Amino acid sequence: MELFIWIYIGSTLASLLISWPVYAKFRAVPKIPTGEKLPDIRISVIIPARNEEKNLKVLLPTITGQSMAPHEIIVVDDNSNDCTSDIAKDNGATLIQGMPLPDEWMGKQWAVNQGAKVATGDWLLFLDADTALEDGAIEKLTLLSREPNRVHSICPYHQIEKKFEELSCFFNVIMLLGTNAFSLKGEQGEGIGLFGQMLFVKRADYEKVGGHELSLIHISEPTRPRL
C-alpha cells in the first residue's frame, strides 16, 4: 500500500512538471483597462438552437443586459418543437427559421452557417445556447479584435451546481487537449481545432477560409483551421 501511495505521488508530480509548459500557453480573456477607449466594432451574436427554450431564457438576458450591447443577436431555430422561437423574439433577437438539412451537412454547422449568412456585423460571435455571458463580456471581446488576424476560441467555465460535477473536469481537459492547440509545437502544430461553444472571429477572415462550409471538405492542408 505504501508503495502504491509513493507511485501515485510521484506520477502526479511528474505529470504536473511535464504539463506545465502546456498550462503556460493558456490565455485568459483580457481585462478592461480603466478609462481606455474600446475598439469600435459591430459584433453579431449567432446562436443555433433546437429545443432550447430553457437555455435561451438564461442566455439571452445575459446578452441584452450587457453594458455594451452587441450589434445584433441572431437565433437560428433549428426545427424546434418547443417555444424556442417565442423566447428568442421575446428577448429581442432576430429569429431565423432554419431551412431543411441538406444531406451533406451536420445539424449545428448548417444552423450557424445560415446565421452567418444573414449577419451584418464585422465580427461574429458564435455561442451555444447552453452558455451565458458574465458582466462586461462584450467589452472584453472587443479588446480581442485588436488581434484581427486571429480567430479567438474561448472555452467557457463549467458552472458547478453539485459537487460530483467536479468529476467532469477530466472530460474538459480531454477536450482541451483534443484540439491540439496547446502542444509544444504551438502555431506550427497540425490539425488545430477550435471550441464550438464560443467562437469569436472577424467576418472577413471567416468568409476567407470558407466558414462552417469548410467542415464539409476533407482537409488536405494541415495549416487550414477547422471551424
Side-chain angles (χ1 to χ4, degrees), residues 31-53:
K31 296 182 179 180
I32 306 170
T34 304
E36 183 171 338
K37 185 178 170 131
L38 297 173
D40 183 17
I41 62 172
R42 300 179 303 163
I43 298 177
S44 293
V45 180
I46 301 169
I47 306 166
R50 175 181 292 177
N51 297 330
E52 295 283 9
E53 62 172 285

Side-chain angles (χ1 to χ4, degrees), residues 104-106 109 210-219 227:
E104 68 273 18
W105 280 86
M106 300 292 286
Q109 285 89 339
H212 282 84
E213 293 183 21
L214 187 64
S215 62
L216 305 178
I217 304 171
H218 176 70
I219 303 176
L227 303 182

Side-chain angles (χ1 to χ4, degrees), residues 103-175:
D103 292 337
E104 68 273 18
W105 280 86
M106 300 292 286
K108 180 182 176 182
Q109 285 89 339
W110 174 239
V112 293
N113 181 72
Q114 292 174 82
K117 294 290 186 184
V118 302
T120 58
D122 41 26
W123 281 78
L124 307 178
L125 174 61
F126 298 99
L127 287 179
D128 278 4
D130 60 351
T131 57
L133 299 185
E134 63 179 12
D135 294 338
I138 298 297
E139 289 96 329
K140 292 177 181 179
L141 288 172
T142 62
L143 295 177
L144 294 177
S145 70
R146 292 175 174 170
E147 302 178 40
N149 297 322
R150 294 179 179 269
V151 55
H152 303 282
S153 182
I154 303 167
C155 183
Y157 291 106
H158 182 186
Q159 185 174 356
I160 301 298
E161 296 181 355
K162 297 181 180 179
K163 195 64 178 175
F164 71 85
E165 291 180 331
E166 296 281 1
L167 297 174
S168 65
C169 177
F170 171 78
F171 301 99
N172 290 333
V173 170
I174 294 299
M175 178 185 68

